[in-house]
Amino acid sequence: MIIEYAEKERTRKLYEEAFDDPKEFVDYYYSDKCLDNRMIVSFEGGEVVSMLHLNPFSVNLCGTVVPSYYVVAVATKESMRHRGHMTRVFEKTFELLKGEKIPFIFLLPVDESIYSWMGFEKICDFSKDRIPSYYEIQKKYDIYCVRDDDYVRRMNKEDELRKLDMGEVLPDNPVIMAKITNLEAFNSATGKEFANEKEALDWTKKKRIYICEEV
């Protein structure tokens, strides 16, 4: 059964099984980031066997601020892998977000090939060195995450954890991939008339993009 899941703390067991993040980071993630995120899961036998998390961000898309989600915590219980659970979780996610007119979503993959067949494409390298000045980001880049009060508070906490070597464990050469989830909404936001998702992503990749968010 694929559902949007409200009992978020019950997904922590799978998170800890799948990822090597320090306990301090996971504590922060579940006590703070999970306050306003969403979880789409495959629920079987009374437990979560596969999941992804949708962490909300407002994104400046070439002058228009749009709602988007950072897809994180993509995981399937080891004993339940290769049974199509994750495919169905993503299919449900795409269906929901298309209906909600979310223009696009993005993620940081361990391996691009895991997601490329679903329509995700690399749009930029992940920025490991966070630019402290929001004004500088606004001047230099076309596409970036909007920094409101909650964003700044979480950014400071994540930076603090990173300095203590308790931050999220990232791939060696991290990149950002994106997928168009509602082409009509994307066209409306950009003022363009792209015929398909591929055209929209090709246009996006030519823009100056700054993504430094870990989760």
Side-chain angles (χ1 to χ4, degrees):
M1 177 171 61
I2 311 298
I3 58 173
E4 184 164 354
Y5 196 57
E7 298 181 58
K8 297 179 181 180
E9 188 64 30
R10 291 186 63 185
T11 69
R12 179 164 177 156
K13 178 181 177 182
L14 177 54
Y15 188 106
E16 292 176 329
E17 174 190 311
F19 306 107
D20 295 325
D21 297 329
K23 179 182 182 299
E24 292 81 0
F25 178 84
V26 181
D27 287 344
Y28 153 73
Y29 181 82
Y30 272 87
S31 66
D32 195 326
K33 292 292 289 188
C34 290
L35 291 175
D36 58 2
N37 75 351
R38 304 167 67 180
M39 299 182 184
I40 313 301
V41 312
S42 179
F43 194 76
E44 286 196 2
E47 67 174 340
V48 174
V49 299
S50 188
M51 68 178 180
L52 63 77
H53 297 186
L54 297 171
N55 291 352
F57 284 89
S58 294
V59 176
N60 183 89
L61 181 59
C62 298
T64 300
V65 175
V66 300
S68 185
Y69 288 101
Y70 198 174
V71 181
V72 304
V74 178
T76 300
K77 188 176 179 180
E78 187 172 9
S79 62
M80 301 295 285
R81 292 172 186 169
H82 310 297
R83 302 186 187 185
H85 289 288
M86 187 53 66
T87 297
R88 293 190 292 274
V89 167
F90 266 102
E91 287 173 349
K92 180 64 173 179
T93 300
F94 299 152
E95 176 188 336
L96 286 171
L97 300 186
K98 182 177 182 179
E100 295 169 11
K101 300 188 183 331
I102 302 299
F104 74 100
I105 55 177
F106 57 104
L107 54 75
L108 191 162
V110 173
D111 182 341
E112 292 180 48
S113 66
I114 297 172
Y115 302 98
S116 57
W117 68 274
M118 290 186 280
F120 285 92
E121 293 187 21
K122 175 187 173 182
I123 58 169
C124 66
D125 291 324
F126 174 81
S127 300
K128 287 186 176 181
D129 296 322
R130 202 191 304 263
I131 298 173
S133 170
Y134 186 40
Y135 177 69
E136 182 180 346
I137 295 168
Q138 291 173 304
K139 284 202 310 179
K140 287 187 175 181
Y141 295 94
D142 304 309
I143 300 172
Y144 53 86
C145 291
V146 175
R147 293 186 177 182
D148 58 16
D149 290 343
D150 274 339
Y151 179 105
V152 172
R153 177 181 55 78
R154 288 168 169 168
M155 177 181 71
N156 291 337
K157 179 62 176 177
E158 290 164 22
D159 284 346
E160 180 183 323
L161 287 169
R162 190 187 304 170
K163 288 175 184 175
L164 296 171
D165 199 25
M166 296 176 182
E168 183 189 19
V169 177
L170 297 173
D172 291 335
N173 298 296
V175 302
I176 295 294
M177 303 180 79
K179 175 181 169 61
I180 306 299
T181 40
N182 187 302
L183 185 60
E184 181 180 350
F186 191 90
N187 285 345
S188 177
T190 58
K192 305 294 183 181
E193 290 294 335
F194 300 112
N196 53 55
E197 294 180 13
K198 175 67 175 172
E199 280 187 15
L201 285 175
D202 285 344
W203 175 85
T204 301
K205 287 184 282 189
K206 295 175 183 176
K207 300 301 177 182
R208 298 170 301 170
I209 304 172
Y210 178 72
I211 302 288
C212 69
E213 292 68 31
E214 293 185 12
V215 290

